Amino acid sequence: MKLLTIETTCDETAAAVITDDLKVLSSVVASQDALHKRFGGVVPEIASRAHVERILPVIDEALRKANTKLSDLDAVAVANTPGLAGSLLIGLTAAKTICVAANLPLLAVNHLQAHVYACRIASGRDVFPCIGMVVSGGHSNLYRCDGPTDFTPIGGTIDDAAGEAFDKVASLLGLPYPGGPSIERAARTGDPRRHRFPRPLLDDPEHLNFSFSGLKTAVRYLVSGPGKIEDVKPAACKLSPQDIADLAASFQEAVIDCLVGKAELALQNTGYRTLCVGGGVAANGRFRTRLEDSAKLNRYELHVPPLALCTDNAVMGAIAVERLRAGLFEDLSLDISPVPERAAKR
Ligand code: KG4
Ligand code: ZN
């Protein structure tokens, strides 16, 4: 069986053709980084307009590369939650239209669960049950994953997402968008011990939540002193390249301490022995090394996908294969849900 998967939750327009045994026949990703760069972040209106222009060429290219016609497909899967409303609507409308035109069943993809499932695709073997951690531009979430269609949220950020913090701090330091790769590059020559930034919520053994907004403010105060956000950029120019490298390295280490610490706590609290990490921030080399060290020390199985499966893509939409097997089809009333499901309050 063959599935067409569509991903337009944020600023990447992506489509892939995948078999039910998780063979990737094609994968196309049209990035919008160049469009959003000068704004230092994703502009929702620009993102949805770009999706409208790109969605059909991207789907056509995915089908062509997979040597597949619409009539060869068995289902269409689309990420309908969470994400930017305007962006989600473009992918969902395209998927529904193809389903009507080619008389195909429709499957829903939860974008965050798909980020975790990227580990299943990359490893080529079962990874469940596991703790799933998604760290991206819009989300920092922890899940108890008892199976590929059985995810329970157990923690998340109470303010900014980890990737968002990378993007905002990069902008404070005058580094280009997207901030994650820029901070990682700058941090390579920096001293992570020069500044001791806060590790919010890390020493709270009860909760699996993150908070990154205070950390971002701590960097801002260090750069320019307390004051208006507009004051920051000129001050950042006065920083030497070594200052910027040290700030980037110290900030990166603080974020990673929080992420690794809470992942360890989630494993400890649940007794699960497998950790699957996904999302754009999982592309960070220092984070990957720290996770590997933690896995060795604490003797758990770690899965982190290759870089192309960490950032947004349609291949991870292959999680829909599991819904297809379970008979979890959608009808044409399927809607978007921009906001993610949250962990139950304790
Ligand atoms: O998963 P993703 O592609 O899109 C969302 O669903 O948000 O994640 C994008 C985020 C951005 O905030 C970007 O700065 C961050 O992932 N990112 C990184 C790295 N590469 C991408 N963060 C830290 N280090 C990286 N190397
Ligand atoms: Zn994502």
Side-chain angles (χ1 to χ4, degrees):
M1 285 210 270
K2 281 185 191 176
L3 264 74
L4 170 68
T5 56
I6 297 173
E7 154 65 45
T8 61
T9 59
C10 187
D11 63 336
E12 259 93 29
T13 318
V17 178
I18 292 146
T19 65
D20 59 340
D21 55 356
L22 302 182
K23 216 160 98 205
V24 180
L25 302 182
S26 67
S27 171
V28 179
V29 181
S31 163
Q32 299 181 10
D33 279 356
L35 297 179
H36 301 285
K37 215 177 185 98
R38 72 188 172 103
F39 302 102
V42 176
V43 181
E45 182 62 24
I46 293 178
S48 29
R49 283 167 190 261
H51 284 308
V52 171
E53 284 167 9
R54 294 164 186 207
I55 187 77
L56 293 180
V58 164
I59 291 173
D60 276 344
E61 196 184 338
L63 291 170
R64 190 181 47 76
K65 281 188 169 164
N67 200 14
T68 297
K69 299 191 291 293
L70 283 184
S71 55
D72 299 329
L73 292 172
D74 295 282
V76 179
V78 62
N80 71 318
T81 185
L84 299 172
S87 294
L88 288 165
L89 276 170
I90 311 302
L92 181 62
T93 307
K96 284 184 183 177
T97 309
I98 294 171
C99 286
V100 172
N103 195 23
L104 290 168
L106 179 65
L107 294 159
V109 170
N110 177 310
H111 176 77
L112 301 180
Q113 298 179 7
H115 268 304
V116 173
Y117 197 78
C119 294
R120 162 71 184 88
I121 300 164
S123 76
R125 64 190 168 86
D126 195 11
V127 295
F128 299 98
C130 67
I131 294 297
M133 182 186 233
V134 182
V135 271
S136 69
H139 311 281
S140 304
N141 291 336
L142 280 163
Y143 293 94
R144 198 181 66 228
C145 314
D146 291 305
T149 57
D150 189 2
F151 282 59
T152 308
I154 54 173
T157 181
I158 60 168
D159 41 54
D160 290 356
E164 187 181 358
F166 269 96
D167 293 335
K168 287 178 176 168
V169 167
S171 164
L172 286 178
L173 299 178
L175 299 171
Y177 174 85
S182 300
I183 295 256
E184 181 178 6
R185 223 172 296 120
R188 282 193 197 121
T189 51
D191 174 5
R193 287 173 305 272
R194 173 151 167 214
H195 307 285
R196 178 74 195 169
F197 289 123
R199 271 74 172 153
L201 306 183
L202 184 57
D203 52 9
D204 174 357
E206 291 290 310
H207 294 101
L208 292 168
N209 288 334
F210 304 99
S211 166
F212 295 113
S213 118
L215 175 56
K216 170 196 70 194
T217 308
V219 178
R220 180 157 81 83
Y221 284 177
L222 210 140
V223 168
S224 66
K228 289 188 189 146
I229 192 89
E230 296 80 38
D231 296 341
V232 166
K233 278 187 183 162
C237 299
K238 289 184 208 138
L239 298 169
S240 72
Q242 191 58 53
D243 290 336
I244 291 176
D246 292 344
L247 282 162
S250 304
F251 161 78
Q252 178 175 269
E253 213 59 20
V255 174
I256 293 173
D257 277 350
C258 296
L259 296 176
V260 175
K262 291 295 178 188
E264 288 172 355
L265 185 62
L267 289 161
Q268 201 179 306
N269 286 356
T270 56
Y272 287 15
R273 304 302 311 150
T274 304
L275 176 67
C276 290
V277 186
V281 179
N284 183 286
R286 175 71 186 146
F287 181 38
R288 295 167 85 94
T289 305
R290 289 281 310 277
L291 284 168
E292 281 159 21
D293 294 346
S294 162
K296 261 185 225 138
L297 188 71
N298 299 290
R299 298 210 192 98
Y300 60 84
E301 191 176 310
L302 172 68
H303 296 275
V304 193
L307 301 199
L309 288 185
C310 286
T311 46
D312 285 350
N313 64 86
V315 171
M316 65 192 192
I319 191 172
V321 167
E322 307 283 354
R323 293 183 74 81
L324 181 123
R325 284 200 192 115
L328 298 170
F329 295 101
E330 308 297 330
D331 61 36
L332 293 176
S333 66
L334 179 69
D335 204 352
I336 57 161
S337 288
V339 179
E341 206 188 340
R342 295 206 180 282
K345 282 221 166 76
R346 302 170 22 148

